[in-house]
Amino acid sequence: MKCKYDIEFIQSYNDNCLCKEEKSEFERHMRNCSKCSTAFAKDKIMLSYFKKTPDEPLNNLHKQKLMNSIPSGRYSGNPKKYSFLYSINRFYPRLRFALLAAAVIIIIATILFNLSHVYNIYNTGASFFNKDTDDYYNGNNAVEDLIFDNTSTVTPLATLKPEEKDDISNEYSKDDNYLSDEELIMNIHSFFYEGEEYLIDYDFGIKKLTQSGDVEWHSLRVESYYESGYDYGYCNIFFCDGEWLYYTKVYSGGGSGEGPFDPNYGMFGKVKIDGSERIEYPGIEMLYPVFYDDWIYYRPNLFIPPLPLVPTYIHKVKRDGSSVTQVVSSKKCQYFFLKDGELYYWHTEYGARHVNQAEFIDMVSSFDINTGEEKFGFISIDQLYEVNEFKDIIEKTVRYLNELQTH
Amino acid sequence: MNNDKDIVRSILSGNEKDFSLIVDRYYQKLIYFFFKMNLAREDAEDIVQEVFIKVYKNLYKYNEGWCFTTWLYKIAVNTFNDLLKKKRLKTTNIDVDTLESDLNFKDLSIDNVHNRIIVKTMLDSMDNETKTIMILRYFYSFSFKDIGVIVNSSQDAVKMRVCRERGRLNKMFSENVKGVRSL
């Protein structure tokens, strides 16, 4: 007779998990099936071993010794504290899910809240100078770039026809001694040192502007690209006070996504123009830095994971690297700029606002650089010339462009 | 106080002497647990002492939603595993070679010395976690769910493991068991 019972069934029998009919049927079967009866017996013996109380007697002396070894005073000394912790633990399982849910909501909300901000950062950067997409004429960004950068040359370029602009670029960018139009725009910030005029290079350092209009590298260079092999960033020299050059190295992300992340890549630093001394302050990465009253106002770099957790407020730091402070808590504050010696910040919705008085002033919030048509705001492009910082820069740029063309 | 939770509350409110009630209730059970895990008496006593000290220190972390016994055995099993990792414990194993000549059960009684040695040999063929599960299930009659909590596993996984282990042990030894016919 073929046996239909397997070991699991026999285990169920031993565990008393069968109904009365199944039990009696199996018992009848076992009388004639040696295989089942043997398996049953072995399982039974094993179980009885597990169930059997050990033979070894207990050592009462040890129990007494154990009681003496229990430290005392923990709970009698501070019953309120431990009773409180105990009552908290009672709710922990439910509390755990609530905390988890709250954390997820906060993270999602932070990401969403930051998205527009991040978008603005991208939208006001170098894209203005992207000739491939013709963003030279993107008025929406143009004003912002003009204001914060102090180096922009929107007007002179806009006065050139696109073909002329391309000609300049093609002719001069082939030679390392000359700046391409993009380089020119980014590097037009200059300073005078020992009677010579120098241009600040966005990436590497200083280029000397000679009488003939030639450009040569100054011996001082500030390296920008990191040597990790994966990650990269750029260096922006943004200010010269006649003795020191102030620069910031900004982390831009992993080149291949495989490189190690080092939060100390980014820094704020200063170097003497003669190269004799250099001081760097790791961890301070500046976007749109501007000097005002011995302070440098800047937006911390956002390209540091985890993105939503990085503060996106405007900070200020003293030029000696001390006392980093958050100055504007509004996320609508995009960057700072100087006008008539006063410090303003650009509000992403309402335009410019005085940093101390917190009053809005009339500024252009958007215009078409090609046609000069103002979309919002109250001042024209001509009025922007009245801002001293822009006037100097624009004049220098025009002069330099003319020199290049002459050359 | 018949309830473990009442005792815990009493201790936490400052009546530390009530901890002796917990020791009275669980000392013997824990000692037997480690005896069954084939620990020598000295090791078993040391580890039980360590378990009770841990229970005392962490009593405020106990959650009333849990069964106290389950929580206590979880601490015991974790302590046992920690000490095994640190190699401060040594389980005593039976020399299987000496039994190879006769692996047959003599009868159906576990009191038979020969049978007991055979079953001990079977136990030695188990890893410690499986042995723990089998002891918790058949000596202490824990539910599969509680065993899952103690050994950090799911209820179904524990159930499956017990079932497989019993099947494996059943196949492991000679099929010739004397005395079966007397059933």
Side-chain angles (χ1 to χ4, degrees):
Chain A
M1 186 177 71
K2 193 176 178 183
C3 178
K4 66 176 181 179
Y5 299 104
D6 59 10
I7 187 68
E8 285 180 29
F9 188 90
I10 296 168
Q11 288 172 7
S12 301
Y13 176 82
N14 268 337
D15 290 342
N16 209 13
C17 295
L18 300 178
C19 67
K20 201 175 173 183
E21 290 77 24
E22 284 177 319
K23 272 175 79 173
S24 44
E25 187 186 338
F26 179 63
E27 282 164 2
R28 278 198 301 277
H29 165 81
M30 257 201 304
R31 289 193 190 101
N32 300 315
C33 178
S34 63
K35 187 183 160 195
C36 284
S37 56
T38 307
F40 157 75
K42 285 198 288 183
D43 197 53
K44 188 88 178 166
I45 293 172
M46 281 184 300
L47 289 188
S48 58
Y49 177 79
F50 283 117
K51 289 174 181 173
K52 183 177 165 52
T53 306
D55 297 331
E56 292 89 336
L58 290 177
N59 180 355
N60 285 327
L61 281 176
H62 174 257
K63 191 176 169 187
Q64 192 54 46
K65 187 181 154 197
L66 184 153
M67 284 306 300
N68 294 335
S69 70
I70 303 289
S72 61
R74 186 182 180 89
Y75 300 114
S76 56
N78 206 346
K80 280 185 182 174
K81 174 187 168 187
Y82 288 107
S83 294
F84 172 74
L85 290 172
Y86 181 64
S87 48
I88 288 284
N89 268 332
R90 289 169 59 186
F91 300 105
Y92 177 70
R94 272 171 284 176
L95 206 61
R96 186 175 51 179
F97 290 112
L99 288 174
L100 190 66
V104 170
I105 290 169
I106 288 171
I107 289 170
I108 291 173
T110 315
I111 290 171
L112 291 176
F113 193 60
N114 275 286
L115 275 182
S116 61
H117 174 73
V118 174
Y119 173 76
N120 285 329
I121 290 288
Y122 278 115
N123 204 27
T124 53
S127 65
F128 179 74
F129 305 103
N130 186 344
K131 63 182 178 183
D132 295 332
T133 57
D134 227 13
D135 273 345
Y136 296 104
Y137 308 108
N138 183 339
N140 197 33
N141 289 329
V143 173
E144 294 173 359
D145 286 348
L146 266 174
I147 292 167
F148 81 79
D149 199 339
N150 283 3
T151 65
S152 182
T153 56
V154 175
T155 305
L157 275 179
T159 57
L160 299 172
K161 291 177 183 176
E163 308 84 64
E164 291 173 327
K165 174 171 67 65
D166 287 339
D167 286 345
I168 294 169
S169 173
N170 293 337
E171 185 176 347
Y172 295 103
S173 62
K174 291 172 188 171
D175 191 331
D176 285 344
N177 284 330
Y178 296 95
L179 299 173
S180 68
D181 55 347
E182 282 188 45
E183 282 182 308
L184 173 66
I185 293 162
M186 305 300 278
N187 298 316
I188 202 67
H189 199 170
S190 68
F191 64 93
F192 286 89
Y193 180 63
E194 293 180 350
E196 301 280 355
E197 186 174 5
Y198 293 86
L199 299 171
I200 296 177
D201 186 276
Y202 184 74
D203 283 334
F204 291 108
I206 308 164
K207 290 170 181 174
K208 188 176 175 184
L209 187 66
T210 64
Q211 293 292 334
S212 63
D214 290 346
V215 177
E216 60 185 34
W217 282 102
H218 182 53
S219 58
L220 175 65
R221 289 168 69 98
V222 182
E223 291 176 4
S224 63
Y225 289 89
Y226 307 112
E227 300 299 329
S228 72
Y230 297 105
D231 295 303
Y232 58 88
Y234 64 86
C235 177
N236 181 12
I237 302 173
F238 60 87
F239 190 73
C240 174
D241 62 5
E243 182 186 8
W244 292 89
L245 277 171
Y246 294 83
Y247 60 91
T248 180
K249 290 182 178 181
V250 179
Y251 176 78
S252 301
S256 63
E258 298 166 1
F261 172 72
D262 183 350
N264 289 323
Y265 273 164
M267 64 174 66
F268 151 60
K270 61 182 183 180
V271 57
K272 277 195 172 172
I273 296 169
D274 59 9
S276 62
E277 193 177 351
R278 181 193 298 265
I279 305 171
E280 290 182 332
Y281 308 96
I284 304 176
E285 292 184 69
M286 298 172 167
L287 297 174
Y288 318 136
V290 59
F291 262 94
Y292 183 72
D293 275 356
D294 213 31
W295 289 86
I296 304 163
Y297 290 78
Y298 67 99
R299 175 182 288 286
N301 182 22
L302 281 175
F303 298 97
I304 302 172
L307 182 63
L309 303 180
V310 174
T312 55
Y313 307 120
I314 297 295
H315 286 59
K316 66 178 181 180
V317 59
K318 278 203 167 175
R319 66 172 71 186
D320 63 3
S322 64
S323 185
V324 179
T325 320
Q326 179 182 307
V327 286
V328 177
S329 60
S330 166
K331 292 204 172 195
K332 300 294 182 185
C333 174
Q334 193 140 338
Y335 48 80
F336 286 93
F337 65 95
L338 289 163
K339 179 176 178 293
D340 298 336
E342 291 295 312
L343 187 65
Y344 292 85
Y345 68 87
W346 186 262
H347 192 282
T348 51
E349 289 179 10
Y350 303 117
R353 200 172 193 182
H354 194 281
V355 73
N356 293 323
Q357 297 164 2
E359 289 176 357
F360 294 108
I361 61 168
D362 292 340
M363 290 292 292
V364 174
S365 36
S366 176
F367 72 97
D368 188 326
I369 194 86
N370 203 21
T371 63
E373 181 191 351
E374 296 169 12
K375 294 177 181 174
F376 304 98
F378 307 96
I379 64 172
S380 68
I381 188 70
D382 290 337
Q383 288 173 286
L384 281 176
Y385 273 90
E386 293 170 9
V387 182
N388 287 334
E389 288 81 4
F390 300 149
K391 189 176 176 183
D392 289 347
I393 292 162
I394 291 168
E395 282 175 2
K396 280 179 195 168
T397 309
V398 171
R399 193 180 76 236
Y400 189 64
L401 277 172
N402 287 336
E403 284 170 353
L404 284 178
Q405 282 180 305
T406 307
H407 180 78
Chain B
M1 275 182 289
N2 290 326
N3 192 323
D4 288 333
K5 290 170 188 171
D6 292 338
I7 299 174
V8 172
R9 274 189 224 116
S10 172
I11 296 166
L12 291 175
S13 62
N15 303 319
E16 292 190 4
K17 286 183 179 174
D18 287 347
F19 192 74
S20 62
L21 297 175
I22 289 181
V23 176
D24 286 341
R25 282 186 188 193
Y26 293 104
Y27 177 80
Q28 185 184 23
K29 289 179 179 175
L30 283 179
I31 282 280
Y32 282 168
F33 174 72
F34 292 114
F35 280 165
K36 283 213 162 274
M37 291 298 288
N38 280 353
L39 286 190
R41 173 180 289 277
E42 280 185 3
D43 284 340
E45 288 177 349
D46 284 349
I47 194 170
V48 166
Q49 182 168 337
E50 200 162 331
V51 169
F52 276 115
I53 290 174
K54 275 188 183 177
V55 168
Y56 173 81
K57 284 183 177 173
N58 294 290
L59 207 56
Y60 68 97
K61 293 180 185 171
Y62 165 66
N63 186 329
E64 278 194 7
W66 307 329
C67 170
F68 183 80
T69 316
T70 309
W71 183 69
L72 184 129
Y73 276 96
K74 189 175 176 68
I75 291 176
V77 169
N78 287 342
T79 309
F80 175 73
N81 290 335
D82 287 346
L83 291 176
L84 270 185
K85 275 181 200 166
K86 292 174 188 170
K87 296 184 179 173
R88 277 173 53 192
L89 286 181
K90 195 177 178 185
T91 52
T92 53
N93 293 336
I94 295 165
D95 186 2
V96 182
D97 293 339
T98 59
L99 295 166
E100 274 182 356
S101 56
D102 186 3
L103 287 178
N104 298 331
F105 290 116
K106 298 299 180 192
D107 52 37
L108 279 181
S109 169
I110 195 61
D111 291 327
N112 182 310
V113 175
H114 184 79
N115 285 355
R116 204 183 303 177
I117 291 173
I118 290 177
V119 178
K120 271 198 167 186
T121 313
M122 291 175 171
L123 279 176
D124 282 343
S125 71
M126 295 183 198
D127 61 82
N128 279 319
E129 190 171 302
T130 310
K131 205 187 294 181
T132 303
I133 290 172
M134 297 294 277
I135 292 167
L136 290 173
R137 175 67 184 162
Y138 295 109
F139 186 62
Y140 293 104
S141 303
F142 273 105
S143 68
F144 290 120
K145 187 180 173 185
D146 286 342
I147 296 173
V149 172
I150 292 170
V151 298
N152 284 329
S153 187
S154 71
Q155 179 180 346
D156 289 340
V158 171
K159 199 172 180 179
M160 183 65 73
R161 204 156 165 182
V162 167
C163 185
R164 280 188 186 160
E165 192 59 25
R166 277 170 73 178
R168 188 186 73 83
L169 292 176
N170 209 296
K171 283 183 187 169
M172 191 172 161
F173 291 91
S174 159
E175 291 187 357
N176 184 14
V177 181
K178 293 174 184 174
V180 171
R181 298 290 172 193
S182 64
L183 274 172

